[in-house]
Amino acid sequence: MAEMLPVAVCYATPTMELLREFEVAPGTTIGEALTQSGVLDELGIGLDTCPVGIFAKKKQLDTVLRAQDRIEIYRPLLADPKDSRRRRAVKKHA
């Protein structure tokens, strides 16, 4: 039997943080690992609205995991960062 790979799934909101460490078989994808972790069902998260990544780099659900990968589930942005910077610049120059 192939050696299992240690990975982690993390998700955070302003009021809570979740970090779940577990092991997956070699060749497991991000989507498969998220299903195996139970995090999606536990938190009621849908991947149709939440992108994912590994160590702050956006990835597709079919990305194959490597040992020590940390899968991050990103929340939708509440405000467009570019719009926020524009508003601050206008306010600063006014």
PDB file of all heavy atoms in Angstrom, residues 51-78:
ATOM      1  N   PRO A  51     -13.768  29.957  -4.086  1.00  0.00           N
ATOM      2  CA  PRO A  51     -12.586  29.389  -4.737  1.00  0.00           C
ATOM      3  C   PRO A  51     -11.664  28.749  -3.700  1.00  0.00           C
ATOM      4  O   PRO A  51     -11.811  28.973  -2.503  1.00  0.00           O
ATOM      5  CB  PRO A  51     -11.917  30.594  -5.397  1.00  0.00           C
ATOM      6  CG  PRO A  51     -12.481  31.783  -4.721  1.00  0.00           C
ATOM      7  CD  PRO A  51     -13.799  31.401  -4.127  1.00  0.00           C
ATOM      8  N   VAL A  52     -10.725  27.948  -4.187  1.00  0.00           N
ATOM      9  CA  VAL A  52      -9.772  27.270  -3.304  1.00  0.00           C
ATOM     10  C   VAL A  52      -8.354  27.518  -3.789  1.00  0.00           C
ATOM     11  O   VAL A  52      -8.136  27.932  -4.923  1.00  0.00           O
ATOM     12  CB  VAL A  52     -10.036  25.745  -3.231  1.00  0.00           C
ATOM     13  CG1 VAL A  52     -11.390  25.450  -2.636  1.00  0.00           C
ATOM     14  CG2 VAL A  52      -9.902  25.102  -4.601  1.00  0.00           C
ATOM     15  N   GLY A  53      -7.394  27.248  -2.909  1.00  0.00           N
ATOM     16  CA  GLY A  53      -5.999  27.392  -3.278  1.00  0.00           C
ATOM     17  C   GLY A  53      -5.123  26.579  -2.351  1.00  0.00           C
ATOM     18  O   GLY A  53      -5.598  25.962  -1.398  1.00  0.00           O
ATOM     19  N   ILE A  54      -3.847  26.584  -2.661  1.00  0.00           N
ATOM     20  CA  ILE A  54      -2.844  25.939  -1.820  1.00  0.00           C
ATOM     21  C   ILE A  54      -1.797  26.996  -1.513  1.00  0.00           C
ATOM     22  O   ILE A  54      -1.209  27.577  -2.430  1.00  0.00           O
ATOM     23  CB  ILE A  54      -2.208  24.726  -2.526  1.00  0.00           C
ATOM     24  CG1 ILE A  54      -3.265  23.655  -2.780  1.00  0.00           C
ATOM     25  CG2 ILE A  54      -1.054  24.171  -1.705  1.00  0.00           C
ATOM     26  CD1 ILE A  54      -2.766  22.455  -3.554  1.00  0.00           C
ATOM     27  N   PHE A  55      -1.600  27.266  -0.231  1.00  0.00           N
ATOM     28  CA  PHE A  55      -0.633  28.268   0.216  1.00  0.00           C
ATOM     29  C   PHE A  55      -0.790  29.591  -0.548  1.00  0.00           C
ATOM     30  O   PHE A  55       0.156  30.101  -1.138  1.00  0.00           O
ATOM     31  CB  PHE A  55       0.793  27.742   0.128  1.00  0.00           C
ATOM     32  CG  PHE A  55       1.062  26.603   1.063  1.00  0.00           C
ATOM     33  CD1 PHE A  55       1.371  25.344   0.573  1.00  0.00           C
ATOM     34  CD2 PHE A  55       0.999  26.775   2.435  1.00  0.00           C
ATOM     35  CE1 PHE A  55       1.620  24.281   1.433  1.00  0.00           C
ATOM     36  CE2 PHE A  55       1.250  25.720   3.303  1.00  0.00           C
ATOM     37  CZ  PHE A  55       1.553  24.478   2.797  1.00  0.00           C
ATOM     38  N   ALA A  56      -2.016  30.131  -0.550  1.00  0.00           N
ATOM     39  CA  ALA A  56      -2.346  31.447  -1.118  1.00  0.00           C
ATOM     40  C   ALA A  56      -2.241  31.538  -2.638  1.00  0.00           C
ATOM     41  O   ALA A  56      -2.204  32.621  -3.191  1.00  0.00           O
ATOM     42  CB  ALA A  56      -1.515  32.543  -0.466  1.00  0.00           C
ATOM     43  N   LYS A  57      -2.192  30.412  -3.321  1.00  0.00           N
ATOM     44  CA  LYS A  57      -2.211  30.410  -4.790  1.00  0.00           C
ATOM     45  C   LYS A  57      -3.464  29.671  -5.241  1.00  0.00           C
ATOM     46  O   LYS A  57      -3.647  28.494  -4.901  1.00  0.00           O
ATOM     47  CB  LYS A  57      -0.967  29.737  -5.353  1.00  0.00           C
ATOM     48  CG  LYS A  57       0.294  30.512  -5.044  1.00  0.00           C
ATOM     49  CD  LYS A  57       1.460  29.922  -5.791  1.00  0.00           C
ATOM     50  CE  LYS A  57       2.739  30.529  -5.292  1.00  0.00           C
ATOM     51  NZ  LYS A  57       3.331  31.518  -6.062  1.00  0.00           N
ATOM     52  N   LYS A  58      -4.324  30.359  -5.992  1.00  0.00           N
ATOM     53  CA  LYS A  58      -5.565  29.751  -6.458  1.00  0.00           C
ATOM     54  C   LYS A  58      -5.275  28.501  -7.290  1.00  0.00           C
ATOM     55  O   LYS A  58      -4.360  28.487  -8.111  1.00  0.00           O
ATOM     56  CB  LYS A  58      -6.350  30.739  -7.311  1.00  0.00           C
ATOM     57  CG  LYS A  58      -7.366  31.521  -6.565  1.00  0.00           C
ATOM     58  CD  LYS A  58      -8.077  32.441  -7.505  1.00  0.00           C
ATOM     59  CE  LYS A  58      -9.559  32.352  -7.292  1.00  0.00           C
ATOM     60  NZ  LYS A  58     -10.284  33.326  -8.118  1.00  0.00           N
ATOM     61  N   LYS A  59      -6.067  27.462  -7.046  1.00  0.00           N
ATOM     62  CA  LYS A  59      -5.906  26.193  -7.755  1.00  0.00           C
ATOM     63  C   LYS A  59      -7.277  25.674  -8.178  1.00  0.00           C
ATOM     64  O   LYS A  59      -8.306  26.050  -7.621  1.00  0.00           O
ATOM     65  CB  LYS A  59      -5.240  25.140  -6.851  1.00  0.00           C
ATOM     66  CG  LYS A  59      -3.867  25.521  -6.353  1.00  0.00           C
ATOM     67  CD  LYS A  59      -2.853  25.485  -7.461  1.00  0.00           C
ATOM     68  CE  LYS A  59      -1.456  25.789  -6.929  1.00  0.00           C
ATOM     69  NZ  LYS A  59      -0.463  25.786  -7.963  1.00  0.00           N
ATOM     70  N   GLN A  60      -7.270  24.771  -9.135  1.00  0.00           N
ATOM     71  CA  GLN A  60      -8.489  24.101  -9.585  1.00  0.00           C
ATOM     72  C   GLN A  60      -8.754  22.887  -8.697  1.00  0.00           C
ATOM     73  O   GLN A  60      -7.833  22.346  -8.085  1.00  0.00           O
ATOM     74  CB  GLN A  60      -8.342  23.641 -11.044  1.00  0.00           C
ATOM     75  CG  GLN A  60      -8.095  24.777 -12.018  1.00  0.00           C
ATOM     76  CD  GLN A  60      -9.262  25.738 -12.085  1.00  0.00           C
ATOM     77  OE1 GLN A  60     -10.424  25.325 -12.088  1.00  0.00           O
ATOM     78  NE2 GLN A  60      -8.968  27.028 -12.108  1.00  0.00           N
ATOM     79  N   LEU A  61     -10.010  22.452  -8.655  1.00  0.00           N
ATOM     80  CA  LEU A  61     -10.374  21.306  -7.818  1.00  0.00           C
ATOM     81  C   LEU A  61      -9.707  20.009  -8.264  1.00  0.00           C
ATOM     82  O   LEU A  61      -9.579  19.073  -7.482  1.00  0.00           O
ATOM     83  CB  LEU A  61     -11.889  21.131  -7.793  1.00  0.00           C
ATOM     84  CG  LEU A  61     -12.666  22.245  -7.097  1.00  0.00           C
ATOM     85  CD1 LEU A  61     -14.163  22.017  -7.247  1.00  0.00           C
ATOM     86  CD2 LEU A  61     -12.278  22.339  -5.638  1.00  0.00           C
ATOM     87  N   ASP A  62      -9.263  19.942  -9.534  1.00  0.00           N
ATOM     88  CA  ASP A  62      -8.622  18.712 -10.021  1.00  0.00           C
ATOM     89  C   ASP A  62      -7.101  18.704  -9.817  1.00  0.00           C
ATOM     90  O   ASP A  62      -6.413  17.813 -10.292  1.00  0.00           O
ATOM     91  CB  ASP A  62      -8.978  18.461 -11.477  1.00  0.00           C
ATOM     92  CG  ASP A  62      -8.512  19.569 -12.413  1.00  0.00           C
ATOM     93  OD1 ASP A  62      -7.969  20.594 -11.938  1.00  0.00           O
ATOM     94  OD2 ASP A  62      -8.704  19.419 -13.640  1.00  0.00           O
ATOM     95  N   THR A  63      -6.577  19.683  -9.075  1.00  0.00           N
ATOM     96  CA  THR A  63      -5.140  19.723  -8.763  1.00  0.00           C
ATOM     97  C   THR A  63      -4.787  18.573  -7.825  1.00  0.00           C
ATOM     98  O   THR A  63      -5.439  18.368  -6.809  1.00  0.00           O
ATOM     99  CB  THR A  63      -4.776  21.064  -8.086  1.00  0.00           C
ATOM    100  OG1 THR A  63      -5.120  22.129  -8.962  1.00  0.00           O
ATOM    101  CG2 THR A  63      -3.299  21.123  -7.743  1.00  0.00           C
ATOM    102  N   VAL A  64      -3.759  17.815  -8.177  1.00  0.00           N
ATOM    103  CA  VAL A  64      -3.315  16.688  -7.352  1.00  0.00           C
ATOM    104  C   VAL A  64      -2.476  17.219  -6.189  1.00  0.00           C
ATOM    105  O   VAL A  64      -1.604  18.062  -6.370  1.00  0.00           O
ATOM    106  CB  VAL A  64      -2.506  15.675  -8.200  1.00  0.00           C
ATOM    107  CG1 VAL A  64      -1.959  14.555  -7.333  1.00  0.00           C
ATOM    108  CG2 VAL A  64      -3.373  15.115  -9.316  1.00  0.00           C
ATOM    109  N   LEU A  65      -2.771  16.707  -5.009  1.00  0.00           N
ATOM    110  CA  LEU A  65      -2.101  17.165  -3.792  1.00  0.00           C
ATOM    111  C   LEU A  65      -0.734  16.523  -3.604  1.00  0.00           C
ATOM    112  O   LEU A  65      -0.490  15.407  -4.066  1.00  0.00           O
ATOM    113  CB  LEU A  65      -2.972  16.851  -2.575  1.00  0.00           C
ATOM    114  CG  LEU A  65      -4.293  17.608  -2.514  1.00  0.00           C
ATOM    115  CD1 LEU A  65      -5.175  17.041  -1.418  1.00  0.00           C
ATOM    116  CD2 LEU A  65      -4.045  19.086  -2.286  1.00  0.00           C
ATOM    117  N   ARG A  66       0.119  17.253  -2.877  1.00  0.00           N
ATOM    118  CA  ARG A  66       1.422  16.742  -2.468  1.00  0.00           C
ATOM    119  C   ARG A  66       1.461  16.756  -0.947  1.00  0.00           C
ATOM    120  O   ARG A  66       0.655  17.412  -0.294  1.00  0.00           O
ATOM    121  CB  ARG A  66       2.543  17.620  -3.029  1.00  0.00           C
ATOM    122  CG  ARG A  66       2.574  17.607  -4.551  1.00  0.00           C
ATOM    123  CD  ARG A  66       3.675  18.449  -5.091  1.00  0.00           C
ATOM    124  NE  ARG A  66       3.510  19.821  -4.627  1.00  0.00           N
ATOM    125  CZ  ARG A  66       4.211  20.841  -5.065  1.00  0.00           C
ATOM    126  NH1 ARG A  66       5.133  20.666  -5.969  1.00  0.00           N
ATOM    127  NH2 ARG A  66       4.001  22.054  -4.599  1.00  0.00           N
ATOM    128  N   ALA A  67       2.413  16.061  -0.378  1.00  0.00           N
ATOM    129  CA  ALA A  67       2.554  16.015   1.083  1.00  0.00           C
ATOM    130  C   ALA A  67       2.710  17.424   1.639  1.00  0.00           C
ATOM    131  O   ALA A  67       3.382  18.260   1.038  1.00  0.00           O
ATOM    132  CB  ALA A  67       3.752  15.153   1.472  1.00  0.00           C
ATOM    133  N   GLN A  68       2.072  17.678   2.762  1.00  0.00           N
ATOM    134  CA  GLN A  68       2.138  18.947   3.496  1.00  0.00           C
ATOM    135  C   GLN A  68       1.377  20.097   2.843  1.00  0.00           C
ATOM    136  O   GLN A  68       1.492  21.235   3.290  1.00  0.00           O
ATOM    137  CB  GLN A  68       3.585  19.367   3.759  1.00  0.00           C
ATOM    138  CG  GLN A  68       4.447  18.331   4.438  1.00  0.00           C
ATOM    139  CD  GLN A  68       3.933  17.922   5.811  1.00  0.00           C
ATOM    140  OE1 GLN A  68       3.358  18.708   6.526  1.00  0.00           O
ATOM    141  NE2 GLN A  68       4.134  16.662   6.159  1.00  0.00           N
ATOM    142  N   ASP A  69       0.585  19.851   1.779  1.00  0.00           N
ATOM    143  CA  ASP A  69      -0.212  20.919   1.182  1.00  0.00           C
ATOM    144  C   ASP A  69      -1.271  21.390   2.168  1.00  0.00           C
ATOM    145  O   ASP A  69      -1.844  20.591   2.909  1.00  0.00           O
ATOM    146  CB  ASP A  69      -0.894  20.451  -0.111  1.00  0.00           C
ATOM    147  CG  ASP A  69       0.002  20.538  -1.330  1.00  0.00           C
ATOM    148  OD1 ASP A  69       1.080  21.161  -1.241  1.00  0.00           O
ATOM    149  OD2 ASP A  69      -0.390  19.988  -2.381  1.00  0.00           O
ATOM    150  N   ARG A  70      -1.534  22.694   2.161  1.00  0.00           N
ATOM    151  CA  ARG A  70      -2.610  23.269   2.972  1.00  0.00           C
ATOM    152  C   ARG A  70      -3.649  23.820   2.006  1.00  0.00           C
ATOM    153  O   ARG A  70      -3.419  24.813   1.313  1.00  0.00           O
ATOM    154  CB  ARG A  70      -2.085  24.397   3.866  1.00  0.00           C
ATOM    155  CG  ARG A  70      -3.190  24.994   4.755  1.00  0.00           C
ATOM    156  CD  ARG A  70      -2.699  26.161   5.557  1.00  0.00           C
ATOM    157  NE  ARG A  70      -2.385  27.268   4.662  1.00  0.00           N
ATOM    158  CZ  ARG A  70      -1.391  28.126   4.845  1.00  0.00           C
ATOM    159  NH1 ARG A  70      -0.591  28.001   5.881  1.00  0.00           N
ATOM    160  NH2 ARG A  70      -1.174  29.107   3.999  1.00  0.00           N
ATOM    161  N   ILE A  71      -4.796  23.169   1.950  1.00  0.00           N
ATOM    162  CA  ILE A  71      -5.887  23.600   1.082  1.00  0.00           C
ATOM    163  C   ILE A  71      -6.621  24.736   1.792  1.00  0.00           C
ATOM    164  O   ILE A  71      -7.039  24.590   2.930  1.00  0.00           O
ATOM    165  CB  ILE A  71      -6.873  22.446   0.809  1.00  0.00           C
ATOM    166  CG1 ILE A  71      -6.142  21.246   0.213  1.00  0.00           C
ATOM    167  CG2 ILE A  71      -8.003  22.921  -0.098  1.00  0.00           C
ATOM    168  CD1 ILE A  71      -6.957  19.971   0.247  1.00  0.00           C
ATOM    169  N   GLU A  72      -6.753  25.859   1.105  1.00  0.00           N
ATOM    170  CA  GLU A  72      -7.434  27.009   1.680  1.00  0.00           C
ATOM    171  C   GLU A  72      -8.736  27.240   0.930  1.00  0.00           C
ATOM    172  O   GLU A  72      -8.749  27.257  -0.301  1.00  0.00           O
ATOM    173  CB  GLU A  72      -6.538  28.244   1.575  1.00  0.00           C
ATOM    174  CG  GLU A  72      -5.222  28.057   2.307  1.00  0.00           C
ATOM    175  CD  GLU A  72      -4.147  29.043   1.902  1.00  0.00           C
ATOM    176  OE1 GLU A  72      -4.299  29.714   0.856  1.00  0.00           O
ATOM    177  OE2 GLU A  72      -3.153  29.132   2.627  1.00  0.00           O
ATOM    178  N   ILE A  73      -9.809  27.420   1.670  1.00  0.00           N
ATOM    179  CA  ILE A  73     -11.100  27.738   1.078  1.00  0.00           C
ATOM    180  C   ILE A  73     -11.298  29.235   1.274  1.00  0.00           C
ATOM    181  O   ILE A  73     -11.286  29.725   2.405  1.00  0.00           O
ATOM    182  CB  ILE A  73     -12.244  26.954   1.753  1.00  0.00           C
ATOM    183  CG1 ILE A  73     -11.957  25.457   1.689  1.00  0.00           C
ATOM    184  CG2 ILE A  73     -13.572  27.287   1.093  1.00  0.00           C
ATOM    185  CD1 ILE A  73     -12.886  24.611   2.538  1.00  0.00           C
ATOM    186  N   TYR A  74     -11.445  29.963   0.163  1.00  0.00           N
ATOM    187  CA  TYR A  74     -11.546  31.417   0.229  1.00  0.00           C
ATOM    188  C   TYR A  74     -13.010  31.856   0.228  1.00  0.00           C
ATOM    189  O   TYR A  74     -13.823  31.312  -0.511  1.00  0.00           O
ATOM    190  CB  TYR A  74     -10.821  32.064  -0.954  1.00  0.00           C
ATOM    191  CG  TYR A  74      -9.386  31.623  -1.077  1.00  0.00           C
ATOM    192  CD1 TYR A  74      -8.927  30.995  -2.224  1.00  0.00           C
ATOM    193  CD2 TYR A  74      -8.495  31.809  -0.036  1.00  0.00           C
ATOM    194  CE1 TYR A  74      -7.608  30.588  -2.341  1.00  0.00           C
ATOM    195  CE2 TYR A  74      -7.172  31.401  -0.137  1.00  0.00           C
ATOM    196  CZ  TYR A  74      -6.732  30.794  -1.297  1.00  0.00           C
ATOM    197  OH  TYR A  74      -5.435  30.381  -1.402  1.00  0.00           O
ATOM    198  N   ARG A  75     -13.312  32.865   1.047  1.00  0.00           N
ATOM    199  CA  ARG A  75     -14.661  33.436   1.076  1.00  0.00           C
ATOM    200  C   ARG A  75     -14.792  34.475  -0.032  1.00  0.00           C
ATOM    201  O   ARG A  75     -13.801  35.087  -0.417  1.00  0.00           O
ATOM    202  CB  ARG A  75     -14.922  34.116   2.426  1.00  0.00           C
ATOM    203  CG  ARG A  75     -14.963  33.134   3.571  1.00  0.00           C
ATOM    204  CD  ARG A  75     -15.185  33.830   4.897  1.00  0.00           C
ATOM    205  NE  ARG A  75     -13.983  34.571   5.283  1.00  0.00           N
ATOM    206  CZ  ARG A  75     -13.952  35.857   5.577  1.00  0.00           C
ATOM    207  NH1 ARG A  75     -15.035  36.584   5.559  1.00  0.00           N
ATOM    208  NH2 ARG A  75     -12.820  36.438   5.911  1.00  0.00           N
ATOM    209  N   PRO A  76     -16.009  34.693  -0.507  1.00  0.00           N
ATOM    210  CA  PRO A  76     -16.192  35.757  -1.505  1.00  0.00           C
ATOM    211  C   PRO A  76     -15.839  37.118  -0.890  1.00  0.00           C
ATOM    212  O   PRO A  76     -16.060  37.347   0.300  1.00  0.00           O
ATOM    213  CB  PRO A  76     -17.692  35.697  -1.826  1.00  0.00           C
ATOM    214  CG  PRO A  76     -18.156  34.368  -1.345  1.00  0.00           C
ATOM    215  CD  PRO A  76     -17.228  33.964  -0.237  1.00  0.00           C
ATOM    216  N   LEU A  77     -15.288  38.008  -1.696  1.00  0.00           N
ATOM    217  CA  LEU A  77     -14.931  39.338  -1.213  1.00  0.00           C
ATOM    218  C   LEU A  77     -16.194  40.156  -0.960  1.00  0.00           C
ATOM    219  O   LEU A  77     -17.154  40.092  -1.727  1.00  0.00           O
ATOM    220  CB  LEU A  77     -14.064  40.066  -2.245  1.00  0.00           C
ATOM    221  CG  LEU A  77     -12.679  39.479  -2.484  1.00  0.00           C
ATOM    222  CD1 LEU A  77     -11.989  40.248  -3.607  1.00  0.00           C
ATOM    223  CD2 LEU A  77     -11.852  39.533  -1.225  1.00  0.00           C
ATOM    224  N   LEU A  78     -16.180  40.935   0.104  1.00  0.00           N
ATOM    225  CA  LEU A  78     -17.308  41.809   0.410  1.00  0.00           C
ATOM    226  C   LEU A  78     -17.211  43.120  -0.359  1.00  0.00           C
ATOM    227  O   LEU A  78     -18.210  43.760  -0.645  1.00  0.00           O
ATOM    228  CB  LEU A  78     -17.375  42.086   1.914  1.00  0.00           C
ATOM    229  CG  LEU A  78     -17.593  40.855   2.795  1.00  0.00           C
ATOM    230  CD1 LEU A  78     -17.576  41.261   4.262  1.00  0.00           C
ATOM    231  CD2 LEU A  78     -18.898  40.175   2.445  1.00  0.00           C
TER     232      LEU A  78
END
